[in-house]
């Protein structure tokens, strides 16, 4: 079993390596997503990883903090990448970007089961010069 403090690092590694194959090892099958731009369940996490990696190259994710409390794990992240592909409808700019986020997950059976996030959305979207559409 993965230690709870290591779960945010698994997420960061998946983002950097484009690894969607191991998502089921650290995301629960009943995963609930509260970000309206990301679909539900394990397929939603894979969608986000795939969409990010289609839009950005040279991704580096720094895990700034990890806090474990009860059935919650909080991770604070800094993403750095180059916008080299279309990201959810926003065409590539070639710009280097920085996105910061604070992600909160509820844990069930040692895996991420529910997710909330806050990020520097306005600043991030200003960097890529557009806004993505909400998935259907």
């Amino acid at each position: 079993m993965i230690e709870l403090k290591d779960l945010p690092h698994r997420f960061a590694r998946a983002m950097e390596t484009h690894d969607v194959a191991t998502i089921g090892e650290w995301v629960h099958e009943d995963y609930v997503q509260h970000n309206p731009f990301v679909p539900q369940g394990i397929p939603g996490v894979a969608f986000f990883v795939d969409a990010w990696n289609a839009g950005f190259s040279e991704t580096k994710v720094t895990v700034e903090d990890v806090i474990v409390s009860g059935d919650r794990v909080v991770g604070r992240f800094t993403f750095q990448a180059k916008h080299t592909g279309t990201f959810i409808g926003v065409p590539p700019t070639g710009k280097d970007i920085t996105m910061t986020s604070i992600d909160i997950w509820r844990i069930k059976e040692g895996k991420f089961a529910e997710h909330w996030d806050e990020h520097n959305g306005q600043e991030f979207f200003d960097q890529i010069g557009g806004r993505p559409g909400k998935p259907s």
Side-chain angles (χ1 to χ4, degrees):
M1 179 177 273
I2 301 167
E3 289 193 44
L4 296 183
K5 66 180 177 57
D6 294 331
L7 286 169
H9 296 277
R10 292 292 296 265
F11 167 71
R13 192 167 34 250
M15 294 300 296
E16 289 180 341
T17 64
H18 312 192
D19 180 11
V20 295
T22 64
I23 289 172
E25 295 174 12
W26 44 275
V27 174
H28 197 275
E29 62 188 18
D30 298 332
Y31 189 78
V32 176
Q33 175 61 258
H34 293 284
N35 182 323
F37 294 99
V38 180
Q40 297 297 314
I42 291 173
V45 177
F47 165 85
F48 178 72
V49 173
D50 285 343
W52 180 272
N53 287 298
F56 300 97
S57 62
E58 304 172 34
T59 297
K60 171 72 176 133
V61 182
T62 303
V63 180
E64 307 287 357
D65 289 302
V66 174
I67 301 167
V68 178
S69 179
D71 70 346
R72 300 289 196 266
V73 174
V74 178
R76 185 171 65 89
F77 303 92
T78 300
F79 295 73
Q80 295 177 304
K82 184 174 286 294
H83 186 207
T84 54
T86 300
F87 179 64
I88 313 176
V90 179
T93 62
K95 293 180 180 178
D96 292 325
I97 62 91
T98 299
M99 181 180 82
T100 58
S101 72
I102 298 173
D103 295 78
I104 302 169
W105 292 277
R106 182 178 57 81
I107 304 303
K108 179 179 177 182
E109 299 170 354
K111 297 180 179 184
F112 291 148
E114 191 168 7
H115 175 252
W116 302 262
D117 62 349
E118 294 290 333
H119 53 82
N120 65 329
Q122 181 70 40
E123 179 185 346
F124 169 73
F125 291 120
D126 287 349
Q127 290 174 72
I128 66 173
R131 293 252 184 276
K134 187 174 174 181
S136 52

